[in-house]
Amino acid sequence: MSPTPTSPEADYRPRRRLEVGDAVLALYIAAFARQFFWPVGDNRAAWALTVALTAFVWLMHWRTKEAAGRTPALFWPVVALPLLFFYSLRAALPDLSWDVLDYRIINAERSFRGWPIPAADFFPTRFPFNPAPDMVMGLARRLLGYRLGTLVNLGAMVWAGAVLERLLRGFIRGAPARCLAVLLLLLTEQLLFEISNYMVDLLALPLMLEAARLALTSHEGAREQRRTLARVGLYLGASLAFKLTNLAVAVPVLALCAYRFAARQWRFDARAAAYALAGVALPLLPYSLYIYHQTGNPVFPLYNWLFKSPYWPVLDPRTERWGPIVDDPRFKSMRAWEVLLWPLLHPFRVEHTAGDLGPHWGRVSVGFLASIAGIAWRGADARVRALSFVTLVCAVLWSAASGMLRYAMFVELVGGLIALYFAAHLFKTGAARLPARAGACVIVAALVAQTASSCVYAFDFEWGGRPTFFRNPGAHLPELRHLFRDRDPRAFLSDEERALFDGVGAWAESSPVTSGFQVMLKPEAPEWCLYMTEFFETEVSRRRFRRAIEASRGAPVFTLCMTEEFKFATDNIRRAGFGVGRIQTLSLPYYSHRARFPTSYFIEVLPPGAGGARTFDITRAEAPLPPNGFNAALTWAASPPRVLKAGELTSVRVVLRNASASRWPALGGAGGNFRILLGNHWLDRSGRELIHDDGRGAIPYDLAPGEEAELLMTINAPPAPGDYTLEIDLLQEGVSWFALKGSKTLKADLRVEK
C-alpha cells in the first residue's frame, strides 16, 4: 500500500536508507551462506568464504532494494521504545528455555563447525530441523554475548513494525495514529513471550510481511518486476527454512502472485516467475539435500508418512496441545469443521492452548473474522481484499497443520491490520453516522483490550520462566556486569570444573534439557542421542549408532542429567547397552556466577561389559518411615564457604549415609509427600534458629542401610550481615526432620557480609 502522490507520505523523495531490517538481514544471509560452505573441510576457510559471500549478497540487496519513504521519526519512541522496554524486562538473566537447551543450541553449534550430523555423532539433536534460525541466533550470541544475543528477536520485531507501518500508509494518514496502530498490532501475547529468549519463531515474521507487501505492489517495468518476485521468493524460502510451518503463509502469498499474473495486474513474465521459484528453493537447498542424503527425508522428521525414512517411525508428531484434534471416534465427522473453525474455537479450548504456551485473548479470532469480512465486502480496498485472502487461507492452513498459537503470529498481525482498516474506514465514511463510528470504536476497543491483556501477561509469563526486573531486581542488577562479556560459558567455571569437562571424550544425551549445556561445555566432543526411542526402532538406525560408537572407541563417555530425570536418564543409558559408572552432583554456573543450571548429575557412561557398572532402585515412599528409619550420617564432601554475600546463592556438597535399618525410597508419593530430602536451617552463634527452612537437595536413587551418596544443595545466605551457623539436616516431607527423631545434624560457622 504505497503512498499516492497526494498523500502526506509523498512530500519527500524516496531513497535507499539503512534500516534495522538491513542489519538483521545481514545475519540471515550469513546463516544461509555458511550452509553452502559445509563441504569445505577447513572451518576457518569456510567462515572466510561465508563472510565474503555475505558481504557480496548484502551489497546486492542494498543496491537493488526498493527506494522507500523514511520511517516516521515518531516510530522510534512510539513503537521501538516500548518493544525495547519489554525486551529489557528479562534480558539481564540468561535464557534457560526448554527448547533452547534441548536442541536449538546444538543445531547452531554443530552447523557452525561443518555438517550438522558429523560421522561420530548419532543424531545429536532429537529434532534435526533446518538449523538456519538457530545459526542466526548463534551468530548474535557470538557477536553480542549470550544475554544480548536475543537482540536479534527485538530487531526482527522492529523490522516487522516498519513493514506494518508501510502497509498502513494507504488508509491511516497521520504518522502518530499510524505508529500507535503498529504498536497495537505488535503487542500480542506470543510475540512478547519470545522477544528476549532464543526461541526462533519471530525471525521469519518480517520476511513474511515483506513478501506479502511486495506481492501487493505494481511495477513500472519488467526488470523491477523480476527483482520484486525474486525478493518475494527469497523471503518466503528463508521463512520456510526458518520454520516449515510458515508454508501456511508461503502458499497464499505465492497464490496471490499467480492470481495477479492471471488477472493481468502484472505483465506475465516467465523469467520473473522462474526467479520467484528459484528464490524459494535457494535458501532451502543446502540443508534439504543434506538431510535427504542422511535420512531419505528432505524435511526429516516431518511428513515421514510420505517419505518413509528408516530412521523415524510413521507418526503424527502433534499432541493434544497443538490444536484441533478429535480423538473420540464418535466425533471424527467433526474433524473438518473443527479445523475450519479452529481460529474461532481456540480461545474456548484452553486445555489445548494454555499451559506452557501461555494465555491468550483471541487475536487470531479477530484476524480470522476480519479477513472473512475483507473478502465478503465488495467495497473493500483491493489491496485489503488481497491481504484478507492471504490471511484467511493462512489461518485455515495453520489450523490444519498444527493449530499451535505461536505459529499463527502472521495471522495475528495481518488480521489485526485488516481490522484496523475497517475501523479507519468506518471513521472516515461514518462521520455523520453514530452507528458507524460506534462500530469503529468497538473494533479499536477490542484490539486495545487484547493488547492490554498481553502486556499484563508478559509480566508473568515467558518461555524461560525468568522473573522480570520489577519482580526481582536483586537478581537482575548483579547480572548487568556480564553484558557483552558472556560469550564463553566455560569462563564462568572453576578450574576444577573445567578440568572435569576437559576429560570428556564423547557425550551421551540421556535426557533432553541437558543436551544443549553439554555441547557448550565441550562442543568438539561427539554426541549420541540415547533418549529418543524412535532412533533405535530399526536395524538401519541401530547400525548407524554402532558406527558412531566405533568412531569414538576408547574415548571417555559422560552425560549430564537433572536430578528429577535421573531414573529416565539411567534407564536410557542401559537401554542403549551401556553401564552407569561414577556419579557426581553438580550445580554449574550458566553464564553467571549467581544464575545456575538446575542441579544435575555428571555420570560416567561405561561401555558394554565394562566392570564397575552400577544398578539402582528408584521407588516411591507411600508412608512415613518406621521409627528406626530416621538416622542419617552427614559429612562435608567439600568444605563450605566461610564468607558469603548477603542474599547470595551458593551450593554445598554433603555426603549422606543411611545409618538406619530401613531403606530410603528416592521418590515421594502424591504431591511429594514422604519424599526424603536434604534441608538446612540458619542459626545465630548461640544456636537460636533464625531461618527454619531454606534449600533442598534430593537423593537420586534408593539408599539401602549403610549406603551413601553425595548430594548438592543450593542455599541462600541470610539477607542481613553477621555471623551465622549453617545447619544441615534430613527430612521426610510432611512427616518430620530427622533431628527431631534423634539424628545428628551437620553444622558450619560462616560470616555474611554486605
Side-chain angles (χ1 to χ4, degrees), residues 621-652:
E622 301 295 346
L625 291 171
N628 64 359
F630 292 89
N631 190 11
L634 302 169
T635 55
W636 296 113
S639 299
R642 295 300 179 186
V643 179
L644 293 174
K645 298 292 185 183
E648 180 182 352
L649 289 174
T650 191
S651 298
V652 293

Side-chain angles (χ1 to χ4, degrees), residues 398-445:
W398 160 76
S399 175
S402 71
M404 199 175 193
L405 275 173
R406 62 190 176 100
Y407 300 154
M409 294 178 185
F410 180 89
V411 176
E412 290 184 321
L413 292 180
V414 181
L417 183 147
I418 296 166
L420 282 176
Y421 163 78
F422 281 109
H425 182 80
L426 289 172
F427 266 118
K428 291 175 183 177
T429 60
R433 290 180 290 177
L434 184 61
R437 305 206 96 182
C441 290
V442 168
I443 294 172
V444 173

Side-chain angles (χ1 to χ4, degrees), residues 26-51:
L27 292 178
Y28 292 8
I29 296 170
F32 288 111
R34 181 65 184 90
Q35 293 191 1
F36 280 94
F37 295 115
W38 277 337
V40 178
D42 186 311
N43 198 36
R44 290 187 179 182
W47 274 109
L49 292 169
T50 296
V51 171

Side-chain angles (χ1 to χ4, degrees), residues 566 570-571 573-574 578-584 601-607 610-617 700-704 707-710:
F566 180 82
T570 52
D571 285 348
I573 291 169
R574 292 194 186 90
F578 297 108
V580 176
R582 292 178 291 111
I583 300 172
Q584 184 171 341
Y601 297 112
F602 184 62
I603 303 174
E604 180 186 22
V605 179
L606 301 176
R614 307 175 62 182
T615 58
F616 309 95
D617 290 324
Y701 46 85
D702 294 3
L703 291 182
E707 192 173 5
E708 65 180 31
E710 181 182 313

Side-chain angles (χ1 to χ4, degrees), residues 521-542:
L521 295 171
K522 188 70 179 289
E524 67 273 20
E527 297 227 13
W528 311 327
C529 184
L530 307 185
Y531 64 89
M532 291 295 288
T533 57
E534 289 84 352
F535 291 141
F536 293 89
E537 290 196 4
T538 66
E539 181 56 33
V540 172
S541 189
R542 290 191 290 270

Side-chain angles (χ1 to χ4, degrees), residues 678-737:
L678 201 66
N680 73 292
H681 318 297
W682 289 98
L683 318 175
D684 63 18
R685 288 297 172 84
S686 67
R688 181 170 59 94
E689 187 174 87
L690 301 176
I691 299 175
H692 175 66
D693 205 352
D694 181 21
R696 285 286 190 271
I699 58 176
Y701 46 85
D702 294 3
L703 291 182
E707 192 173 5
E708 65 180 31
E710 181 182 313
L711 272 62
L712 181 143
M713 181 173 64
T714 301
I715 59 173
N716 299 267
D723 294 324
Y724 293 89
T725 297
L726 170 67
E727 183 177 40
I728 307 292
D729 194 8
L730 213 61
L731 74 149
Q732 187 175 29
E733 198 72 65
V735 181
S736 175
W737 290 87

Side-chain angles (χ1 to χ4, degrees), residues 184-201:
L184 198 65
L185 295 177
L186 287 174
L187 298 185
T188 64
E189 296 94 348
Q190 297 299 319
L191 272 69
L192 293 179
F193 294 161
E194 296 190 28
I195 191 171
S196 64
N197 59 38
Y198 281 102
M199 299 297 289
V200 301
D201 305 284

